[in-house]
Amino acid sequence: MSGIIFAKHINITFLFVLAQVLLLLLIVLSGSGSAGRQDKNGISYIMRITKLQCIEAPYKRTHLNYCKMIQFPNGTVALNTSLTVPMLVNYAEIVAKLYYKYKTYRPFMVDWSIDYCQAARKGNLNPTAAIMMKIAENSMPDYYYPCPHGNRTYATYWTFEPSYIPTTLPSGDYRLDIYFRDSSRITMYALQMFTSIRKQGLIG
Ligand SMILES: *[C@@H]1O[C@H](CO)[C@@H](O)[C@H](O)[C@H]1NC(C)=O
Ligand SMILES: *[C@@H]1O[C@H](CO)[C@@H](O)[C@H](O)[C@H]1NC(C)=O
Ligand SMILES: *[C@@H]1O[C@H](CO)[C@@H](O)[C@H](O)[C@H]1NC(C)=O
């Protein structure tokens, strides 16, 4: 009996943490944080993007024109990037993997992938796919359309402001890897984002 209760407890904790991770991803990738939030003890957590970079370039089938992180004195960071995809794309796998730094970065909670083209075609999505599509819509509104994709240049300028977030996630350093792959699993574009969550201490 207590075994079942225990399992249930773990499950709910797991779901709760997962919900937090989703929130984190949504905040990070939609570039909008809720300002000034704190928990009932007056502790708030601040999330900052510390580094943003394109990884594994040069790519085999696509051309990375540029990928630059810009840091402003007020803590805002931006990524200015442009990618040319010469071929038509009817399958695009998007993979998101989150890592948490203990001594090294270790996989943490999120290891998701979707076929963007199928998800864009299909109406009813599983919760993970729905979240990923929501993130895609928020972070790339100009490029959020059904497949075929490609045969064009994708230029984006993302900005991220430090955000106050309500969280039960551990403070520390996170890394998010995002891959876009074609049907032969060749990387078309990949992005790495380093994030820190820190306690701000007592406020008010
Ligand atoms: C920080 O500076 C950038 C660039 O000047 C600006 O676009 C952004 O709105 C500023 N953010 C805040 C919160 O003031
Ligand atoms: C992004 O970089 C390109 C190429 O260096 C540049 O022409 C463009 O003005 C930059 N965009 C912004 C918003 O800084
Ligand atoms: C690729 O884009 C060009 C210019 O936008 C267009 O004329 C052409 O029809 C496109 N090719 C395919 C195969 O869609």
Side-chain angles (χ1 to χ4, degrees):
M1 202 47 170
S2 70
I4 290 166
I5 290 164
F6 183 66
K8 212 173 199 171
H9 176 71
I10 291 289
N11 210 13
I12 288 167
T13 306
F14 177 80
L15 286 177
F16 194 63
V17 174
L18 192 63
Q20 292 283 326
V21 171
L22 295 180
L23 177 72
L24 176 86
L25 285 179
L26 275 175
I27 291 171
V28 166
L29 291 171
S30 62
S32 65
S34 43
R37 292 257 217 123
Q38 45 187 270
D39 72 11
K40 59 182 183 297
N41 301 316
I43 295 167
S44 70
Y45 293 82
I46 190 159
M47 186 176 76
R48 283 195 174 86
I49 309 288
T50 52
K51 190 175 177 185
L52 266 169
Q53 60 185 5
C54 296
I55 53 169
E56 295 184 14
Y59 307 120
K60 230 171 170 174
R61 296 184 174 163
T62 52
H63 183 73
L64 186 64
N65 303 305
Y66 52 84
C67 181
K68 283 179 300 192
M69 174 182 173
I70 302 156
Q71 275 179 298
F72 296 104
N74 64 9
T76 297
V77 301
L79 189 74
N80 182 12
T81 175
S82 165
L83 179 82
T84 299
V85 181
M87 72 285 191
L88 279 182
V89 173
N90 279 301
Y91 175 94
E93 185 192 30
I94 307 178
V95 180
K97 246 177 144 164
L98 187 68
Y99 298 81
Y100 179 73
K101 191 176 182 181
Y102 296 95
K103 280 178 183 158
T104 57
Y105 285 95
R106 305 221 195 126
F108 184 78
M109 310 299 294
V110 171
D111 183 356
W112 294 336
S113 74
I114 54 163
D115 169 5
Y116 172 89
C117 296
Q118 195 196 15
R121 263 195 316 268
K122 231 167 72 170
N124 60 333
L125 301 169
N126 67 47
T128 304
I131 292 273
M132 286 186 76
M133 291 305 276
K134 194 81 211 154
I135 292 170
E137 186 181 359
N138 286 342
S139 55
M140 306 178 286
D142 296 346
Y143 304 127
Y144 186 74
Y145 59 81
C147 296
H149 261 268
N151 187 29
R152 66 177 298 171
T153 293
Y154 297 84
T156 51
Y157 183 82
W158 286 298
T159 63
F160 306 90
E161 284 171 8
S163 310
Y164 291 94
I165 55 163
T167 186
T168 54
L169 287 173
S171 291
D173 298 324
Y174 293 83
R175 195 185 93 205
L176 181 66
D177 293 358
I178 298 169
Y179 283 86
F180 294 78
R181 296 201 182 106
D182 71 9
S183 54
S184 2
R185 297 194 48 86
I186 289 176
T187 301
M188 296 188 282
Y189 185 66
L191 204 65
Q192 201 167 56
M193 177 185 286
F194 293 85
T195 303
S196 84
I197 296 180
R198 295 283 186 271
K199 233 180 231 178
Q200 276 290 84
L202 294 166
I203 296 178

